[in-house]
Amino acid sequence: MGIIVTGASGLLGTALTEALRAEGREVVRLVRRPARGPGEVSWRPGERLSGLDALEGAEAAVHLAGASIGDRRWSEAYKRELVTSRVDSTRTLVGALRELSSPPEVLLSASGVDFYGDTGDREIDESAGKGAGFLADLCGRWEGEAVRAEEAGVRTVLLRSGLVLSKRGGALSRVLPLFRMGLGAPLGTGRQYWSWITVADWVGAVLHLIREREVRGPVNLTSPSPVTNTEFTRTLAKAVGRSAMPIPVPAFALSLGLGEFARAGLLPSHRVLPGRLADSGYRFAHTRLDAALSAVL
């Protein structure tokens, strides 16, 4: 049985698709252009999905579609795109799954640790409630559309991902040139916690959650060892053979340069632990940041 993947051309979708195909699994990619073969279905999030026959009998659906959080400055128009690209696409996909005579056994739908809001230095797991702020509200609406798949008997897992470490894309690849020039510096106070996971562990966790049929609801995709931004900065600088700048970048300067994204995406603290993932028996390949960065880079 195949695996349906949306957002398959992104960092996580590409890595997951490669891993599935390496296992000999069939992948059906939902793409926002004309389909180029039997392994693709064209769709427009927000519109009724056609080509449902290709989705019948799939083992799982992994929903990763959504506009990038950190690639652009947040205008009001782009904030609306961040919401609609996630909420509308999830509503469309779940609506299509509910029409199938043989829907997937499980839907794994992307979300983020931003769901919890700024949690300071408190360690939290999936038992924590939704926090405040734009990204927390976005995650709440996003997840609210995904869990409607349960009404059709589809086990639903909400993938609350932390910072995914990869040199092929995402936040790490964008800051690496600065760190390699010796210009890496803590952000704001540097005391805010960053919850991270390597792309290898992220893919491994998703494959694990497809198989673990008793797991449903929110699952934190983060390593067991969140670190402060200052520690992250020093460890990354050391990994590329440089020293970190001793003076942090002030919060006001980040806000001037990056706008609301800095205040909502870089400065809040998320000391998030993977409680349900660990309880389900997943074994991390990387639990220490220094070893993780060495493996990634």
Side-chain angles (χ1 to χ4, degrees):
M1 295 185 288
I3 310 289
I4 303 164
V5 180
T6 74
S9 62
L11 169 66
L12 299 179
T14 298
L16 178 63
T17 298
E18 290 175 352
L20 289 168
R21 287 176 172 162
E23 290 187 348
R25 313 285 282 276
E26 179 185 351
V27 178
V28 178
R29 303 167 75 243
L30 268 59
V31 297
R32 298 180 63 179
R33 53 167 172 74
R36 295 174 181 166
E40 293 184 348
V41 173
S42 181
W43 77 320
R44 286 185 175 275
E47 299 179 8
R48 184 181 182 278
L49 200 153
S50 59
L52 294 180
D53 288 349
L55 310 183
E56 288 282 0
E59 178 183 358
V62 185
H63 178 43
L64 307 174
S68 175
I69 293 289
D71 281 356
R72 289 170 52 183
R73 191 180 180 92
W74 290 5
S75 63
E76 288 303 312
Y78 193 62
K79 285 171 67 176
R80 287 193 296 272
E81 183 177 344
L82 292 175
V83 174
T84 57
S85 66
R86 288 164 171 77
V87 175
D88 289 359
S89 66
T90 308
R91 184 181 300 126
T92 298
L93 178 62
V94 170
L97 299 184
R98 289 161 62 102
E99 290 187 47
L100 299 176
S101 59
S102 180
E105 298 174 1
V106 59
L107 166 66
L108 299 100
S109 187
S111 183
V113 295
D114 302 288
F115 174 89
Y116 302 108
D118 189 336
T119 58
D121 61 359
R122 292 183 295 118
E123 292 185 341
I124 61 170
D125 60 17
E126 292 87 351
S127 64
K130 188 179 80 66
F134 171 74
L135 289 178
D137 292 343
L138 169 55
C139 288
R141 293 182 60 185
W142 196 5
E143 293 183 3
E145 293 294 335
V147 296
R148 292 176 57 243
E150 290 277 3
E151 299 169 10
V154 178
R155 176 171 65 94
T156 303
V157 180
L158 306 170
L159 306 173
R160 292 179 181 167
S161 300
L163 172 65
V164 180
L165 303 182
S166 171
K167 65 180 180 180
R168 296 171 62 178
L172 180 61
S173 70
R174 290 194 291 270
V175 301
L176 270 176
L178 289 173
F179 276 79
R180 285 176 169 147
M181 291 187 290
L183 299 177
L187 305 179
T189 66
R191 293 193 296 270
Q192 69 273 27
Y193 275 86
W194 281 11
S195 294
W196 56 273
I197 187 170
T198 62
V199 68
D201 267 323
W202 188 94
V203 170
V206 170
L207 298 178
H208 170 81
L209 292 168
I210 290 174
R211 295 189 295 265
E212 291 297 315
R213 298 185 177 183
E214 300 304 314
V215 181
R216 62 190 342 119
V219 177
N220 295 332
L221 266 59
T222 62
S223 85
S225 308
V227 298
T228 64
N229 172 255
T230 295
E231 184 178 351
F232 186 95
T233 301
R234 291 172 178 166
T235 306
L236 178 54
K238 184 177 180 180
V240 297
R242 296 283 187 171
S243 297
M245 298 282 285
I247 302 175
V249 182
F252 77 86
L254 288 168
S255 294
L256 285 175
L258 300 174
E260 188 176 352
F261 167 67
R263 298 187 296 274
L266 298 178
L267 298 176
S269 184
H270 303 117
R271 194 176 186 181
V272 178
L273 301 180
R276 300 194 68 197
L277 191 57
D279 289 346
S280 69
Y282 180 73
R283 293 191 175 185
F284 284 86
H286 306 109
T287 58
R288 289 178 38 186
L289 182 62
D290 54 354
L293 288 172
S294 294
V296 167
L297 300 178

